[in-house]
Amino acid sequence: MTQFTDFGLAQPVLRALEEAGYTAPTPIQAQAIPPAMEGRDLCGIAQTGTGKTAAFALPILHRLSLENRRAPRRGCRVLVLSPTRELANQIAESFSDYGRHLPYTNTVVFGGVTISRQERALAPGVDILVATPGRLIDLIERRSLTLEGVEILVLDEADQMLDLGFIHALKRIVRMLPAKRQSLFFSATMPKNIAGLADQYLRDPVQVAVTPVATTAERVDQTVIFAQTGVKQALLAHILRDPSFERVLVFTRTKHGADRVVRNLDKVGMVSAAIHGNKSQPQRERALAAFKDGDCRVLVATDIAARGIDVDGVSHVVNFDLPNVPESYVHRIGRTARAGATGLAISFCNDEEKAYLRDIERITRQKVPVSGFPEGFVMPSRAEADQLAAEDRDRPRGQRPGGGQRQGQGRGPGRPDQGRPNQGRPNGNRPQQGRPQQNRRPEGAAAPRADERRNDGRPAQRPATAHHEGRNGPRAEQQRPAGNRQPGGRGRSEQRGAEGSRSRGEGGQSIAWLDRGSRN
């Protein structure tokens, strides 16, 4: 299929696609849309930025157009589950865009907003409901929502769902659904637990995979710079002075670490903003809007926001901290080089994170090229470096992937967000060797949240096994570039500025790394 008109989609859907300037499907869309239109169950594996949202939204809208059926009261016909709020918003907006000429209703529900408003929206019934698992269960427990009329279930970013600890919530939700339904699973990777979930909930599914499992985006140039903790902040400020760094996403492992990066950039006169679970919804929306508008060219984020940030023209991704879950590296760098554009991902790695780097290289099956410090970089003084390193040691130590608590697996409901102190382990002058330093609570872990409270201020009650959605980022508005665009593959990065400087790598090897940002 080379054109959307080849699929036989309903005319109102084709009209919306034409108005949006979409003519040719992406590979995942070309493979997934035909069987989904036929009502087949489907398991689709494709990286972020490849158009997965349209791959399920278009056939769903087509199928709804074939039947003039009303949604049940306090129910829905289509249920789309998303791990994060910003991704849920993005999906709902896509349904609105592609279905603008169809008489169907859709709404999105997630934590962080008044639940009574969502209850009123659901009361008459909606055709398409996009939800995060925690708020969905809240609404079911309050008898404001029933799932008896669901005809189609979509599980988007399934691997992220499990990483964030939603497995018990998903099992509970699926038990409430009709046995006779169509189920569509989409994921960026296919670990064993996702394969097991698909075997359990999909009936004779069509398997669609457009990229090898856990491979990084082909058009992303990658490099790693070995830098100790106390040097990272000065190194980040130095590279951000390069004008080719037009729109930069900086990733940290923890929420407090993201705030620390923003504060330190502010001290050197660089405007940046943070987006993570401790930020209120209005704060997240303002930060993302400023980043999209170009008022703020540096956005510092945690992994919980990685998959929901969909902004055109991200020229660079900087991993200030390497992730302790190697799959997260793939999702992070996938924020650049979207829709055929090129991009550069730079990772900072201290001695304690070298184990994480080995895990990343193992899962991606490629070595990350090593660069030295860029030309003109001035090392901070020993006192400044020690002070920054000391700030980073305020957190309990983390664990290797697979060696206990993974990112997104919290300590369970009922724990305060400040977390627990070190288990009898004093804060020494040196961090424990071989273990990166962690925040007290992994981003996305279950915890009593201010954004999940009832009107009377008490925490919403729910079973201990019902994990909540993480406090993720703001509404991810769609931006489409002009020309022949593809739904889901959002935009092209502009060509970066003049060629950057060359640097001399460790051991005297000359390495050109900044000039990668100016490639076509």
Side-chain angles (χ1 to χ4, degrees):
M1 300 288 183
T2 59
Q3 302 289 323
F4 283 111
T5 52
D6 298 335
F7 293 124
L9 291 165
Q11 198 59 38
V13 178
L14 289 176
R15 181 182 169 192
L17 290 172
E18 182 180 1
E19 291 174 352
Y22 300 146
T23 58
T26 65
I28 185 65
Q29 294 162 4
Q31 296 185 47
I33 289 176
M37 289 175 61
E38 297 171 0
R40 296 283 304 275
D41 283 7
L42 185 141
C43 183
I45 307 300
Q47 290 181 287
T48 56
T50 56
K52 285 183 291 183
T53 302
F56 61 78
L58 297 180
I60 286 174
L61 290 168
H62 171 80
R63 291 199 61 201
L64 291 180
S65 71
L66 301 178
E67 300 176 358
N68 188 17
R69 185 183 305 171
R70 292 180 59 87
R73 182 171 175 78
R74 295 195 306 278
C76 61
R77 298 178 61 188
V78 177
L79 174 62
V80 182
L81 292 176
S82 164
T84 64
R85 300 178 203 168
E86 60 260 287
L87 182 57
N89 260 325
Q90 177 185 320
I91 293 169
E93 289 175 358
S94 295
F95 272 108
S96 297
D97 288 342
Y98 307 144
R100 62 167 62 99
H101 300 301
L102 291 169
Y104 298 110
T105 57
N106 77 85
T107 191
V108 57
V109 296
F110 49 76
V113 297
T114 305
I115 195 170
S116 58
R117 183 180 304 172
Q118 297 173 348
E119 290 175 318
R120 290 192 296 270
L122 292 171
V126 295
D127 293 295
I128 302 166
L129 174 63
V130 185
T132 48
R135 179 49 61 95
L136 186 77
I137 290 179
D138 285 343
L139 291 162
I140 293 171
E141 290 180 343
R142 292 167 66 105
R143 300 182 183 275
S144 301
L145 175 67
T146 174
L147 303 181
E148 296 175 355
V150 172
E151 304 168 26
I152 303 174
L153 167 68
V154 178
L155 181 59
D156 195 21
E157 302 286 10
D159 49 352
Q160 179 82 334
M161 286 275 198
L162 300 195
D163 284 346
L164 293 178
F166 288 132
I167 182 62
H168 298 294
L170 289 177
K171 289 181 177 179
R172 183 180 177 193
I173 290 168
V174 171
R175 284 196 297 267
M176 303 179 195
L177 298 173
K180 185 179 179 181
R181 67 177 188 273
Q182 181 184 16
S183 299
L184 308 174
F185 279 25
F186 286 86
S187 179
T189 59
M190 181 58 95
K192 291 182 180 180
N193 51 4
I194 297 296
L197 199 66
D199 291 341
Q200 185 176 359
Y201 295 132
L202 301 180
R203 297 173 300 174
D204 188 25
V206 175
Q207 301 283 343
V208 175
V210 298
T211 56
V213 176
T215 57
T216 51
E218 292 180 359
R219 291 179 175 267
V220 181
D221 287 325
Q222 304 168 59
T223 189
V224 61
I225 302 175
F226 292 110
Q228 293 307 314
T229 301
V231 176
K232 287 183 176 183
Q233 190 67 50
L235 181 59
L236 177 64
H238 177 83
I239 66 174
L240 290 178
R241 293 189 180 97
D242 189 314
S244 69
F245 284 64
E246 298 171 349
R247 184 169 289 170
V248 187
L249 268 174
V250 179
F251 282 103
T252 63
R253 268 196 309 273
T254 68
K255 296 173 283 189
H256 299 300
D259 289 335
R260 188 181 302 116
V261 168
V262 170
R263 287 195 305 269
N264 288 326
L265 287 177
D266 184 65
K267 291 178 182 178
V268 296
M270 292 188 175
V271 177
S272 62
I275 177 172
H276 55 67
N278 280 356
K279 298 290 185 180
S280 68
Q281 191 75 4
Q283 287 175 322
R284 290 191 290 265
E285 291 177 357
R286 287 194 297 269
L288 191 59
F291 187 61
K292 294 177 68 173
D293 295 340
D295 297 331
C296 173
R297 71 182 181 103
V298 180
L299 185 65
V300 186
T302 50
D303 286 310
I304 192 68
R307 299 197 188 187
I309 299 174
D310 192 1
V311 178
D312 293 337
V314 173
S315 59
H316 295 74
V317 167
V318 177
N319 292 306
F320 189 88
D321 301 317
L322 281 177
N324 60 342
V325 177
E327 292 88 351
S328 295
Y329 177 82
V330 178
H331 305 311
R332 287 183 179 188
I333 72 171
R335 298 302 96 199
T336 187
R338 296 170 73 87
T342 58
L344 175 61
I346 302 170
S347 299
F348 299 163
C349 178
N350 62 28
D351 289 341
E352 301 158 3
E353 293 171 310
K354 288 181 179 178
Y356 293 172
L357 179 62
R358 289 194 296 269
D359 291 335
I360 289 167
E361 292 177 334
R362 185 180 303 115
I363 195 173
T364 60
R365 298 188 292 277
Q366 58 180 292
K367 294 286 290 184
V368 180
V370 177
S371 295
F373 292 124
E375 184 177 346
F377 173 64
V378 178
M379 292 284 290
S381 67
R382 181 66 178 270
E384 292 172 334
D386 289 347
Q387 180 180 357
L388 289 170
E391 291 178 359
D392 197 60
R393 283 195 294 268
D394 289 340
R395 305 178 306 225
R397 294 152 176 83
Q399 293 182 336
R400 285 282 308 274
Q405 181 174 313
R406 283 173 59 91
Q407 183 171 0
Q409 294 177 343
R411 300 184 179 99
R415 296 286 185 186
D417 208 19
Q418 287 77 15
R420 295 182 291 186
N422 288 339
Q423 301 295 318
R425 187 181 296 148
N427 288 331
N429 293 328
R430 293 196 309 158
Q432 182 176 349
Q433 295 298 319
R435 294 178 184 269
Q437 301 160 22
Q438 296 275 336
N439 188 24
R440 294 175 174 81
R441 175 171 298 280
E443 181 73 11
R449 305 192 308 277
D451 61 3
E452 290 279 348
R453 296 183 180 274
R454 302 180 187 274
N455 294 336
D456 59 3
R458 294 180 291 111
Q461 296 179 355
R462 64 181 69 193
T465 57
H467 293 256
H468 298 212
E469 67 268 26
R471 298 186 206 93
N472 47 298
R475 184 183 183 109
E477 300 178 6
Q478 284 182 291
Q479 288 189 352
R480 302 191 184 91
N484 181 13
R485 296 164 293 180
Q486 298 169 337
R490 307 273 203 298
R492 299 177 180 270
S493 299
E494 299 177 1
Q495 288 181 298
R496 258 71 74 189
E499 181 172 288
S501 60
R502 296 178 65 84
S503 65
R504 185 160 301 277
E506 295 179 343
Q509 181 182 4
S510 180
I511 300 173
W513 61 280
L514 285 177
D515 61 354
R516 295 180 186 177
S518 61
R519 292 184 180 178
N520 292 328

